[in-house]
Amino acid sequence: MGDTTLETGVLAGDGRMLIGGELQGTASGAVFDVVHPANEQVVGQAVDGTVDDMARAVEAARRAFDGTDWSRDVEFRHHCLSQLHAALENNTERLRRILVTEVGCPVTVTGSQIESPIEEVRHWAAYGRDFDYVVHTGLHDTPMGPARRQLHYEPVGVVGAITPWNVPFYLNIAETMPALMAGNTVVLKPAQLTPWSGTELGRIVAEETDIPAGVFNVVSSNANDVGAALSADPCVDMITFTGSTATGRAVLAAGAPTVKKTLLELGGKSAHVVLEDADFTSALPIAAMMACVMSGQSCVLPSRILLPRSRYDEGLEILKVSMENFPIGDPWTPGIMQGPQISEQQRQKVLELIRSGIESGARLITGGGIPENLPVGYYTEPTLLADVDPDSRVAQEEIFGPVLTVTPYDTEDEAIEIANNTIYGLSGEVSSADVDRALAVAKRIRTGNVSINAKSHFGINSPFGGTGQSGLGYRNGAEGYREYLSIKTIGLPE
């Protein structure tokens, strides 16, 4: 389970689980392989935890919440998260190499997945220390006479966090740090394809902070039923999950018998409405970059490009040139911006959806297959499909690959109708020379977040959540912190 450094720069992480304050394996000693998607080689192992291991982790979290002062001592929580921030900073390069190893994320673009989440730890530590956990609402007239009322914000209890593989370290931080700072205890189940980004966080918590035993637990596993057990456990008070809508439905159903609070960030099929007066030479190369920079493995990607018919050919040509010149290759090479898909299974899913689009009448402009110069690794060519039917599979299903679909429209109303023609509602974008016009269109798109002229809607101080089948609840901002708190209203004598 120790470090293994290869010539490529691949780094094996600490694969042990953290349960009740102890870094450990499972009773049988079982492990599963971690594969580097850029060379298809096994680069190490992680502990293959069981349902019994998950039950022990939940029990440890329950015991820590009910039997320690963690939920009541905000200054101690601030101290512990400040320690963790410093420890993560000291481990930055190790974490970066683990991320590239597990995900194939190009080292050039790891800042948003390493440095940014590390800073989020410090943000939540400060935010939680300054948060007003008791709010006085004043004097109220009641049938029983005047009464004072107080709102007490209290931690929910035991939080189970199930995270995906596309941006694993960031989401391990985003789903656990506000929960911890709010006074909850946490059980983290990292994704099967990227266990080290979770187990390494557990190691750092155990070895370099004063976070008490049981407050933070990590259970890695290659079995789906382990995550399902976390969702269903009656001792878990809340589940936070990021991943596919299909799995989100299962998480929601598993928590229903105990009426768990559930925070879901699910799939997306976002549209980019490019209005006729937009600066195509600015907007469309950025759209191509966003489709490729994480190998298309992003839930907020505006993968459906809607172009005015009057400028359709012009827009297609700009997108084609941008995608054909996008730097794809070995993620360890500086300057490379697109690496491989996470796995061969994921690559085949992407290629199958591309084929389905062509079969339904879409026109392949560029890409569509495996790069000839990258025969090893799970690489997919940046792909542009034109004349895409808004009702086709490729326009309706989340692809999670470097693929843009382009559909023409004749009127602004038609563009908005196409944009809203989806079960999802996570993100979106509008491009126009007239910001007021773009804002008017953005307000008509049924989605939780919209960017205008590539100005990002995403940030630690702003709530992020979806509509439709893209999720429930919010991350980030005041709304995101309050997700991990319950409100108790107390009536007092005058």
Side-chain angles (χ1 to χ4, degrees):
M1 297 289 176
D3 295 353
T4 304
T5 304
L6 306 178
E7 290 183 1
T8 58
V10 170
L11 178 71
D14 190 312
R16 294 173 293 175
M17 303 183 295
L18 174 62
I19 299 177
E22 295 185 8
L23 294 167
Q24 57 191 264
T26 192
S28 68
V31 296
F32 64 97
D33 291 337
V34 177
V35 174
H36 181 37
N39 63 14
E40 307 180 36
Q41 298 298 306
V42 173
V43 290
Q45 288 79 38
V47 169
D48 196 359
T50 65
V51 169
D52 287 341
D53 293 322
M54 182 59 76
R56 291 192 301 112
V58 171
E59 181 183 359
R62 183 83 265 166
R63 188 166 56 246
F65 184 80
D66 294 338
T68 73
D69 289 334
W70 178 259
S71 65
R72 297 180 292 275
D73 193 341
V74 67
E75 287 300 326
F76 180 60
R77 299 199 301 267
H78 178 267
H79 159 75
C80 289
L81 262 67
S82 297
Q83 278 186 320
L84 180 57
H85 172 259
L88 293 172
E89 282 197 320
N90 290 336
N91 284 272
T92 294
E93 293 312 312
R94 177 178 171 83
L95 291 165
R96 190 188 319 280
R97 292 173 65 196
I98 287 171
L99 175 74
V100 180
T101 299
E102 289 190 308
V103 183
C105 172
V107 67
T108 302
V109 297
T110 54
S112 63
Q113 295 195 43
I114 297 295
E115 278 85 354
S116 292
I118 288 174
E119 281 308 298
E120 288 197 9
V121 179
R122 178 159 60 180
H123 168 87
W124 290 120
Y127 188 93
R129 181 179 57 180
D130 295 337
F131 187 84
D132 192 352
Y133 295 93
V134 179
V135 176
H136 300 269
T137 66
L139 193 65
H140 303 266
D141 290 330
T142 79
M144 303 297 292
R148 292 183 294 117
R149 291 187 189 142
Q150 295 176 356
L151 305 182
H152 289 246
Y153 289 87
E154 300 177 346
V156 173
V158 176
V159 174
I162 303 174
T163 55
W165 47 258
N166 60 327
V167 281
F169 180 69
Y170 163 71
L171 284 166
N172 290 339
I173 294 295
E175 294 199 28
T176 64
M177 292 304 122
L180 289 172
M181 193 58 212
N184 302 283
T185 57
V186 171
V187 179
L188 170 63
K189 165 61 175 68
Q192 291 154 254
L193 292 170
T194 54
W196 292 337
S197 290
T199 55
E200 193 68 24
L201 179 58
R203 180 195 68 78
I204 293 169
V205 165
E207 295 181 348
E208 302 186 42
T209 78
D210 295 328
I211 294 176
V215 166
F216 186 73
N217 306 270
V218 182
V219 179
S220 57
S221 178
N222 198 34
N224 292 332
D225 59 353
V226 173
L230 178 61
S231 301
D233 197 307
C235 291
V236 174
D237 300 293
M238 176 180 176
I239 290 289
T240 172
F241 168 79
T242 300
S244 72
T245 294
T247 304
R249 294 187 192 110
V251 169
L252 195 61
T258 52
V259 197
K260 286 190 201 331
K261 184 172 186 178
T262 309
L263 173 59
L264 303 175
E265 181 192 325
L266 306 178
K269 192 66 179 177
S270 303
H272 181 175
V273 179
V274 184
L275 298 177
E276 193 172 29
D277 65 348
D279 181 352
F280 278 30
T281 59
S282 173
L284 296 182
I286 294 174
M289 178 189 72
M290 295 304 294
C292 302
V293 73
M294 290 174 59
S295 304
Q297 297 172 154
S298 170
C299 57
V300 297
L301 171 64
S303 59
R304 294 183 295 144
I305 307 296
L306 309 184
L307 292 180
R309 198 177 301 275
S310 61
R311 300 184 66 185
Y312 191 63
D313 291 341
E314 174 192 355
L316 286 176
E317 182 60 25
I318 293 171
L319 288 169
K320 176 179 182 291
V321 170
S322 298
M323 298 188 84
E324 288 180 343
N325 287 280
F326 200 80
I328 173 175
D330 181 1
W332 300 99
T333 302
I336 290 296
M337 300 285 282
Q338 179 188 326
Q341 309 306 129
I342 188 71
S343 67
E344 178 61 17
Q345 180 182 11
Q346 178 60 26
R347 176 166 68 174
Q348 289 305 318
K349 175 190 172 185
V350 173
L351 295 175
E352 197 279 324
L353 278 168
I354 293 170
R355 288 192 294 269
S356 79
I358 296 170
E359 290 168 1
S360 66
R363 179 161 48 104
L364 180 64
I365 302 299
T366 190
I370 297 170
E372 291 184 1
N373 65 326
L374 295 168
V376 177
Y378 309 126
Y379 294 94
T380 305
E381 289 178 312
T383 299
L384 183 64
L385 294 173
D387 310 338
V388 174
D389 181 344
D391 294 319
S392 63
R393 276 187 63 205
V394 76
Q396 290 291 320
E397 295 184 21
E398 187 172 39
I399 300 174
F400 241 53
V403 181
L404 286 178
T405 68
V406 186
T407 300
Y409 69 87
D410 293 302
T411 68
E412 200 170 278
D413 286 343
E414 182 188 6
I416 293 166
E417 181 180 356
I418 295 171
N420 289 335
N421 179 35
T422 173
I423 63 171
Y424 300 109
L426 188 59
S427 185
E429 185 163 356
V430 183
S431 294
S432 173
D434 184 339
V435 173
D436 290 337
R437 181 186 179 191
L439 180 59
V441 172
K443 290 164 68 174
R444 295 177 62 191
I445 298 175
R446 293 194 299 269
T447 187
N449 312 273
V450 185
S451 295
I452 292 177
N453 293 344
K455 300 303 180 183
S456 176
H457 56 71
F458 189 82
I460 190 66
N461 294 305
S462 302
F464 174 77
T467 62
Q469 295 188 36
S470 283
L472 298 171
Y474 296 92
R475 301 203 193 286
N476 296 340
E479 292 83 357
Y481 192 70
R482 290 194 185 101
E483 292 283 1
Y484 298 97
L485 296 164
S486 296
I487 301 175
K488 179 186 291 179
T489 302
I490 299 178
L492 297 166
E494 182 179 4

